């Protein structure tokens, strides 16, 4: 017995209705995302120590609106991949990235995460985390200083401030006029219209 149903509506995405949102609302949404980034630190090597230094009192990236050490990927907005991504670790990085809710961002922190670093020629090293997940900001260095991570966070916040809701969630083909009105609540019938239809 075939249990697939074809009469179910397709799941809707935000993209079709995004352009109906007023511009001040988009600014408020981007402002909220920009200054409340919960970080899921994926520390794999020595760069993770520099990440920890950036979250301590001397550099204190909490003042930028970045909250370090989210309880897990489902509560995080930003994944910081710091260190050497091996081929064996790559599926775990991808799985945890997919568990993060949208909108989600990634900072690649350090040469190993960016391109494999000094281990780029190894048979077991992934040549950059961007081969498995999309990266928003690259922070170079081996290892980068904590100030470099602060600069990367500022660059990400600038990117979020310029972000368009339609671009972030939009469908690749664009929205049709039917997509803008489908699924909306229809007004109730008036008694006069019902009587005219019956006659």
């Amino acid at each position: 017995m075939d249990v697939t149903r074809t009469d179910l509506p397709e799941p809707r995405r935000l993209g079709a209705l995004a352009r109906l949102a007023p511009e001040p609302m988009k600014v408020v949404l981007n402002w909220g995302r920009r200054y409340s980034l919960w970080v899921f630190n994926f520390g794999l090597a020595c760069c993770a120590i520099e990440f920890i230094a950036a979250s301590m009192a001397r550099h204190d990236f909490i003042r930028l609106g970045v909250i370090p050490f989210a309880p897990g990927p489902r509560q995080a907005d930003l994944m910081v991949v710091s260190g050497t991504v091996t081929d064996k670790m790559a599926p775990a990085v991808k799985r945890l990235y997919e568990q993060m809710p949208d909108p989600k961002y990634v900072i690649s922190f350090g040469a190993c995460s960016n391109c494999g670093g000094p281990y780029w020629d190894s048979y077991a090293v992934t040549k950059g985390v961007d081969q498995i997940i999309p990266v928003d900001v690259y922070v170079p260095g081996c290892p980068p200083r904590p100030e470099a991570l602060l600069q990367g966070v500022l660059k990400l916040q600038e990117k979020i401030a310029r972000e368009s809701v339609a671009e972030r969630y939009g469908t690749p083909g664009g929205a049709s006029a039917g997509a803008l009105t489908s699924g909306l609540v229809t007004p109730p019938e008036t008694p006069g219209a019902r009587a005219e239809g019956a006659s």
Side-chain angles (χ1 to χ4, degrees):
M1 179 180 168
D2 188 18
V3 293
T4 58
R5 293 186 58 185
T6 57
D7 58 336
L8 294 175
E10 291 184 17
R12 303 205 183 282
R13 298 193 63 173
L14 184 62
L17 298 174
R19 62 189 176 105
L20 298 179
E23 195 60 36
M25 180 56 72
K26 295 176 186 176
V27 171
V28 169
L29 289 173
N30 287 346
W31 178 82
R33 279 194 292 270
R34 181 179 180 183
Y35 292 116
S36 63
L37 291 170
W38 284 78
V39 179
F40 181 65
N41 181 24
F42 209 96
L44 297 167
C46 49
C47 291
I49 303 302
E50 299 299 320
F51 173 88
I52 293 168
S55 65
M56 294 295 124
R58 181 179 178 95
H59 300 286
D60 187 27
F61 66 19
I62 295 176
R63 65 192 160 99
L64 300 176
V66 179
I67 297 93
F69 313 117
R74 295 185 196 282
Q75 291 84 23
D77 306 302
L78 169 63
M79 176 186 274
V80 178
V81 181
S82 51
T84 313
V85 181
T86 60
D87 292 343
K88 195 168 186 178
M89 185 59 76
V93 174
K94 184 172 178 63
R95 189 177 320 117
L96 290 169
Y97 173 78
E98 289 170 350
Q99 290 177 5
M100 292 171 61
D102 282 319
K104 53 191 169 188
Y105 309 96
V106 176
I107 291 180
S108 177
F109 184 59
C112 289
S113 178
N114 291 345
C115 63
Y119 313 108
W120 68 272
D121 203 17
S122 171
Y123 67 92
V125 172
T126 304
K127 312 304 186 267
V129 73
D130 57 359
Q131 296 195 8
I132 52 174
I133 59 174
V135 174
D136 295 291
V137 175
Y138 296 87
V139 178
C142 185
R145 292 188 49 83
E147 293 88 355
L149 179 59
L150 297 179
Q151 181 68 25
V153 167
L154 291 173
K155 290 292 180 191
L156 178 64
Q157 288 178 335
E158 290 171 11
K159 181 177 181 177
I160 294 170
R162 293 189 309 265
E163 196 170 60
S164 163
V165 179
E167 289 172 6
R168 188 74 181 179
Y169 296 102
T171 55
S176 65
L180 290 173
T181 57
S182 64
L184 300 176
V185 177
T186 56
E189 289 186 20
T190 58
R194 189 178 307 136
E196 289 173 8
S199 59

